[in-house]
Amino acid sequence: MFRRKTLEFSNTEAGFQTFKAWMEDIAAKHGKTAVIPGMEPTGHYWFALGKFLQDSGMRPVHVNPHHVKKSKELDDNNPNKNDRKDPKTIAALVNEGRFSYPYIPTGIYAEIRSLSNLRFQTQEELTRIKNRIARWFAIYFPEYKDVYGDYKAVSGKDGAEEPAERHGCSKKPLIVTTNLKLEEIKNPPDLAHARIYDRILERCAPVLFFW
């Protein structure tokens, strides 16, 4: 059946209870014993309603948003959408059996899904952070990767950080060993090596050992 008046309810338990009572009232008036709530999934907004309906003994169903978009012109040849037209289109698709049952996990399975989603989000955020760091290096220290292949290299951190950041605060001596000759360090082959070697000479007093 099609009702001209739509029902608006909030995305809260009180709103869901209003929606449930509204459905049960319509079902009782028309002698129906079961109700199939159909919805067009939009992001995360359906999660709370879907769980409420499932906990209330109903099986909510989803209709494909692409199907809704393609079907809304069948009745009036108008592609526009509104709060009266969309529910009618969704109800027609459900009535024709063009829907799917969403999987709504419960208990430990719901927790596993949440943890899995959190893991993916964390990985994506780490990737964004790494890209921002790479961008900063490319802007402020473009020669860095010519010397160190990985910006996380320990030796690279020693060369890039200020003295007080690592050893000045700890009040411990810094010992840097190298196979390079002092003349090679004082006369680097290019700008990339010069920026590293200058920091080393700035922080260390050269000591030569003879074997």
Side-chain angles (χ1 to χ4, degrees):
M1 72 289 299
F2 171 68
R3 291 172 59 92
R4 292 185 177 276
K5 186 177 180 180
T6 59
L7 172 72
E8 293 184 8
F9 59 94
S10 61
N11 191 34
T12 62
E13 184 175 0
F16 300 156
Q17 292 288 357
T18 301
F19 177 55
K20 179 184 176 184
W22 181 75
M23 288 191 298
E24 292 175 345
D25 180 63
I26 295 177
K29 286 180 179 178
H30 293 83
K32 305 298 181 181
T33 58
V35 178
I36 302 178
M39 64 186 77
E40 180 183 12
T42 52
H44 61 277
Y45 296 103
W46 69 273
F47 288 170
L49 176 60
K51 187 175 187 310
F52 173 83
L53 295 173
Q54 181 174 270
D55 294 343
S56 299
M58 304 180 190
R59 289 196 67 184
V61 298
H62 284 174
V63 295
N64 192 315
H66 180 71
H67 295 167
V68 175
K69 182 178 180 180
K70 293 297 184 181
S71 303
K72 64 177 56 180
E73 301 181 40
L74 294 178
D75 292 333
D76 56 8
N77 293 319
N78 190 336
N80 294 335
K81 61 182 298 182
N82 54 61
D83 291 340
R84 290 187 57 194
K85 184 175 181 180
D86 280 3
K88 179 183 176 182
T89 304
I90 293 171
L93 291 170
V94 173
N95 185 56
E96 295 171 0
R98 304 180 188 277
F99 60 80
S100 61
Y101 290 103
Y103 173 61
I104 305 177
T106 58
I108 187 65
Y109 300 104
E111 296 180 13
I112 292 174
R113 171 180 278 190
S114 297
L115 289 173
S116 177
N117 291 337
L118 180 61
R119 177 176 177 271
F120 286 129
Q121 293 170 6
T122 303
Q123 288 178 326
E124 292 175 354
E125 183 63 24
L126 286 174
T127 300
R128 285 193 289 268
I129 292 173
K130 290 178 181 178
N131 290 338
R132 285 198 292 267
I133 293 174
R135 177 177 178 272
W136 293 334
F137 270 108
I139 294 174
Y140 300 108
F141 202 169
E143 303 87 4
Y144 185 88
K145 292 195 70 176
D146 293 337
V147 179
Y148 302 102
D150 187 356
Y151 68 86
K152 294 180 292 184
V154 176
S155 55
K157 294 178 183 178
D158 287 337
E161 292 179 352
E162 292 293 339
E165 291 177 356
R166 287 182 62 86
H167 298 280
C169 295
S170 64
K171 298 181 180 180
K172 294 181 180 180
L174 170 64
I175 300 176
V176 178
T177 61
T178 177
N179 292 326
L180 297 174
K181 296 180 180 179
L182 183 59
E183 289 301 318
E184 294 181 63
I185 297 177
K186 290 183 176 180
N187 299 284
D190 50 45
L191 179 61
H193 290 80
R195 296 187 67 170
I196 300 297
Y197 294 167
D198 286 348
R199 298 299 299 275
I200 295 176
L201 291 174
E202 177 186 329
R203 298 167 59 177
C204 304
V207 176
L208 303 180
F209 292 92
F210 298 94
W211 299 91

